[in-house]
Amino acid sequence: MTGKSATSRKMLLLAPLLLFLGLAYVVPFLGVVRWSFTLPEPGVGQYRALLTDPLVQSVFARTLRICLVVTAATLVMAYAIAYVWVRGSSVQRMLAEFCILVPFWISVLTRAFGWLAMLSNRGLINTWLQSAGIISEPLALARNELGVIIGMTHFLIPFAVFPIASAMRSIDERVLLAARGMGASRIRIFWTVFVPLTYGGLIGAALIVFVFALGFFVTPAILGGGRSVMVAELVYLRIFQSPDWGLGAAISVVLVLFIGVLLALMRRFIKPAHLVG
């Protein structure tokens, strides 16, 4: 009885949160699902359009491509920063922590415009390169996929650092000392012992970054300049500019379901292999 009463009290405490989540997320999402089947006319025509419309297919392909590149680039940079943060000297750790925390104080909109000022044809980078005589024509660094990838990667690095750093801090130093005592070099210890022990953090960071990247809107809209439209921007265009609420709702439903399936697969197949024990 004691266990049951404790469980009942916990559920009672969680009830307001569950009610809030239901009203704030589930109910609106069900409304979006209804739109996808009823607008502009009842049926599954909007979902059929997702499979046949070349524009929608190209946007989905571009989104997946950019998200994969951003995830890979973010993991590499976040791993280096996390390594310095965890295993560097006191000065290095302080600088790494500064680089990790300061971006959280700057809005995504400000950062996007900052990168646009850096990467545009008349931006700081192209102006400096042309003044130095290194290039004669400005490089295409913005209003394309490259600019979007740079801006998204910069924004997502801090989110990837924390799970990676947590995995690094959980490593038993005795394991590394044992490998060194057996004559392994520092490079071999890093690649064959240290990195495998942080797989859990890498997988968690990859999941966080990839899911966040799927829903990016502001950064691709500013740095892409309308030439690198991603799924979130396409939903906005269909809802507010076309307007084609049915197709926009169908795209939203597919995106949410895709993220849900991705989370389920990660939890089902990856967690037992790398995160348990």
Side-chain angles (χ1 to χ4, degrees):
M1 293 294 295
T2 304
K4 291 183 179 180
S5 60
T7 303
S8 300
R9 285 196 297 269
K10 292 179 181 178
M11 293 302 297
L12 187 62
L13 291 174
L14 288 175
L17 175 61
L18 296 177
L19 179 61
F20 170 76
L21 293 176
L23 293 175
Y25 295 101
V26 177
V27 173
F29 178 69
L30 292 177
V32 173
V33 173
R34 182 172 61 84
W35 287 351
S36 69
F37 286 104
T38 58
L39 298 177
E41 57 185 23
V44 294
Q46 302 298 345
Y47 291 95
R48 191 179 300 112
L50 296 181
L51 301 175
T52 57
D53 191 333
L55 174 62
V56 176
Q57 293 176 354
S58 65
V59 170
F60 270 99
R62 182 184 302 114
T63 300
L64 291 177
R65 181 174 64 251
I66 290 176
C67 289
L68 289 173
V69 174
V70 167
T71 301
T74 301
L75 289 181
V76 172
M77 298 182 187
Y79 201 94
I81 296 174
Y83 187 86
V84 173
W85 190 27
V86 173
R87 306 186 67 83
S89 63
S90 58
V91 175
Q92 290 173 333
R93 290 198 299 269
M94 183 178 64
L95 290 175
E97 192 167 340
F98 180 81
C99 294
I100 294 167
L101 297 179
V102 166
F104 284 111
W105 305 340
I106 306 173
S107 70
V108 60
L109 186 63
T110 302
R111 280 190 266 183
F113 277 113
W115 276 113
L116 187 63
M118 291 280 292
L119 302 175
S120 63
N121 289 343
R122 296 184 179 180
L124 296 178
I125 294 178
N126 276 314
T127 300
W128 180 81
L129 291 175
Q130 287 179 301
S131 300
I134 299 176
I135 59 174
S136 58
E137 297 292 333
L139 300 175
L141 302 177
R143 305 192 185 280
N144 51 30
E145 288 190 18
L146 177 60
V148 173
I149 290 171
I150 293 173
M152 290 175 61
T153 301
H154 173 254
F155 181 86
L156 291 169
I157 285 175
F159 294 95
V161 167
F162 290 108
I164 294 174
S166 178
M168 290 181 178
R169 290 193 176 98
S170 66
I171 295 176
D172 191 341
E173 288 291 332
R174 293 172 296 181
V175 177
L176 305 179
L177 291 174
R180 188 174 302 174
M182 296 180 67
S185 64
R186 291 180 178 271
I187 295 178
R188 186 174 183 182
I189 292 173
F190 178 78
W191 287 110
T192 61
V193 180
F194 189 85
V195 172
L197 290 175
T198 60
Y199 278 164
L202 281 169
I203 293 168
L207 176 60
I208 292 171
V209 171
F210 189 80
V211 170
F212 276 178
L214 284 173
F216 255 65
F217 172 72
V218 173
T219 302
I222 294 175
L223 292 175
R227 301 176 183 176
S228 299
V229 177
M230 295 180 65
V231 169
E233 188 177 356
L234 180 62
V235 172
Y236 172 83
L237 294 174
R238 292 297 183 182
I239 295 294
F240 293 101
Q241 293 189 10
S242 295
D244 190 351
W245 286 28
L247 183 58
I251 296 172
S252 301
V253 171
V254 170
L255 182 61
V256 171
L257 293 178
F258 177 76
I259 293 175
V261 171
L262 181 64
L263 292 174
L265 290 176
M266 289 291 183
R267 184 175 182 180
R268 172 66 179 84
F269 294 106
I270 296 178
K271 184 177 180 180
H274 298 285
L275 304 182
V276 175

